[in-house]
Amino acid sequence: MTRTEALALAQQTVTQMSTNARGYQDQPFDARVSAVLRIAEFLTATTGENTDDDRT
C-alpha cells in the first residue's frame, strides 16, 4: 500500500470512527489529524510497500 492509499484509508477510517450518531464530529481537528497520520504510518509500515516515503 502506498502512502497516498494509506492516507486515504486512514482518513476514511478516522472519519467513520469519530462521527457520532447525530452525524457530528466528536474529536477536535488536531486529534483527528494525529490519528490519521498514525494509522497511515501503521498501514505503510505493515505492508512493506512504502514506495512514497522519501525519508532515509
Side-chain angles (χ1 to χ4, degrees), residues 1 3 6-7 9-11 13-14 17 32-46:
M1 176 174 292
R3 184 148 176 86
L7 283 169
L9 181 57
Q11 182 178 12
T13 301
V14 169
M17 290 173 53
R32 289 195 310 269
V33 169
S34 178
V36 166
L37 294 175
R38 285 193 315 264
I39 292 172
E41 185 70 27
F42 172 78
L43 290 171
T44 56
T46 58

Side-chain angles (χ1 to χ4, degrees), residues 4-24:
T4 304
E5 294 168 331
L7 283 169
L9 181 57
Q11 182 178 12
Q12 177 184 3
T13 301
V14 169
T15 299
Q16 289 173 349
M17 290 173 53
S18 66
T19 303
N20 65 23
R22 294 172 297 169
Y24 297 109

